[in-house]
Amino acid sequence: MAARRGRRRTCETGELMEAESGDGGSENTAQVYLPGRGPPLREGEELVMDEEAYMLYHRAQTGAPCLSFDIVRDHLGDNRTEFPVTLYLCAGTQAESAQSNRLMMLRMHNLHGTKPPLSEGSDEDEEEEEDEEQKPQLELAMVPHYGGINRVRVSWLGEEPVAGVWSEKGQVEVFALQRLLQVVDDPQALATFLRDEQARVKPIFSFTGHMGEGFALDWSSRVPGRLLTGDCQKNIHLWMPTEGASWHVDQRPFVGHTRSVEDLQWSPAEDTVFASCSADASIRIWDIRAAPSKACMLTTATAHDGDVNVINWSHREPFLLSGGDDGALKVWDLRQFKSGSPVATFKQHVAPVTSVEWHPQDSGVFAASGADNQITQWDLAVERDPEAGDAETDPGLADLPQQLLFVHQGETDLKELHWHPQCPGVLVSTALSGFTIFRTISV
C-alpha cells in the first residue's frame, strides 16, 4: 500500500513500490522501500507495484534502447484528461553497432487507464474480452541513422515538424518529420513507407563543426528554428534559420565553460537569453546579442558538487531547475542568481540526476529521474499539515522532504523523462528497460 502523510492537499509520499517477502508464510508484510533509506532488499524480497497509486500505466519496447526522445505536439487538442490516451514520440536508438541505429516516430494509442481489482462475483470471461479491446497499440516508423543518437529534440517550423539530432559520431542533424507523422496514422501508408521509402530518408541539414560528440541541444520556443548545440569539448554554437529549411551556424563558439556542456535551455521569456550547465559544476546565463566571447552575463561557478547534468527553465515562473552528479535537485530564482545560492535544494536521489522537467501547467510541480532508477515528483507548494502526524503509517518516511509527492521505481538505467504538454499529469520516460507512460494519483 502507498503511504500517506498529512499535506495541504491529499497526495502520495514517495513509496510506489513495496518490499514483500516471498517465502509464502503467514507473516508476509508489505513495507515502504526507498533506495538509500532503510535496509536494502533481503533475499526473497521483491518490489511490488501499488497499482492503486496510478491512473495510467503502460510500458513499451522498441528493440535497441533509446537514450533520448521528445514528445511531438499533435492536433488532438490540449488538456486531454480522458482515456484512452494517444501520443506521438520521436526517439533515437543506442544500438550495439553504428549501422543498426534508427530515428523513430512512435504512435502509442488505445492507452486505457488502470482498472480496479477484480471484484467478487465479476465475470472473468467479460473481463478477458474487455482486456482484448483495451490492449494498447503501437505503430512505429523508422529511418536508418549511422551512429547512436545522444539526444533528440522536436520543434515546429510553421506547420512542419523537425527533429534536431545529436549523433555520437560528432555531427548534429535536422530531420523533417512530416512524412513519419503521416504514416504512423495510416497502416497502408506505413507499409509502403517501410518497404519503399525509409532507406532513402536523409537529414535536411547537418553540421559537423563541433569536432566531437555532444548531448546539449535546445530549440527556442519563441523564435522558430533558432537552435543551440553544445558539445563535450566545452563549445556552444548558435544556429539561425535561413530561407529554404536551412541554417547559418555561427562558427565562433560561446566561450566560458571549461569542461563538457551537458545541457542548454532557451529562456521562455526572452528571445536572446539562454542558460547552460556543464561538467565544470557551473550554470551560466548568456545573451546572444553580445559577441560569443563576451556573451556570458551571469555565472554560478559551483552550482553542484560535481557535474551539472541537466537544467530546465520554467515557462511560468522565473525559476531554473538543475540536477547533478551529486544527486541533488536545486531550484534557482533567476532574480537572485547573482547570489550563487539556490532558493531550494532537495536530496532524495542517491545517484546522479539524469533528467528534470517542470510540469507544463502546474507552476510548482516538477519531475526528475536518476541513475538510482527513481522517478520523483515534487510540488514546491506543498506544506506539512501541523495537525497530522509526521509518519502516520511508516516511521521510515518521517525524514522525507515534505515537497516529495511520489516515487516511481522499477525501471533499469533511467535516462530521460518528459511531461506530455497536452495531457496533464502524463509522464513518459525512457530507460534501458524501455519506455514507460504513466500518470500518478498525485499529479
Side-chain angles (χ1 to χ4, degrees), residues 231-302:
D231 61 36
C232 297
Q233 312 295 321
K234 72 187 180 186
N235 295 320
I236 301 169
H237 287 278
L238 172 65
W239 301 41
M240 301 292 276
T242 60
E243 291 185 6
S246 188
W247 283 263
H248 172 263
V249 185
D250 195 329
Q251 300 291 332
R252 302 168 300 164
F254 290 93
V255 175
H257 286 298
T258 58
R259 294 183 63 192
S260 172
V261 178
E262 298 294 284
D263 205 0
L264 291 161
Q265 284 278 287
W266 282 104
S267 166
E270 298 180 77
D271 292 358
T272 62
V273 175
F274 72 90
S276 64
C277 67
S278 168
D280 64 14
S282 74
I283 297 175
R284 294 172 180 264
I285 309 296
W286 312 71
D287 192 324
I288 65 172
R289 288 174 294 186
S293 60
K294 300 177 181 178
C296 184
M297 302 300 170
L298 297 169
T299 302
T300 292
T302 311

Side-chain angles (χ1 to χ4, degrees), residues 71-82 84-88 156 360-361 420-424 426:
I71 296 173
V72 184
R73 289 191 68 96
D74 55 51
H75 300 294
L76 301 177
D78 294 334
N79 298 312
R80 309 199 300 265
T81 57
E82 295 184 358
V85 171
T86 296
L87 52 84
Y88 298 81
W156 286 81
Q361 288 89 24
H420 197 296
Q422 297 166 279
C423 301
V426 173

Side-chain angles (χ1 to χ4, degrees), residues 323-344:
D325 268 2
D326 54 5
L329 297 164
K330 298 189 179 186
V331 179
W332 306 85
D333 187 332
L334 293 163
R335 295 165 297 190
Q336 306 171 22
F337 195 73
K338 285 182 180 179
S339 71
S341 299
V343 293

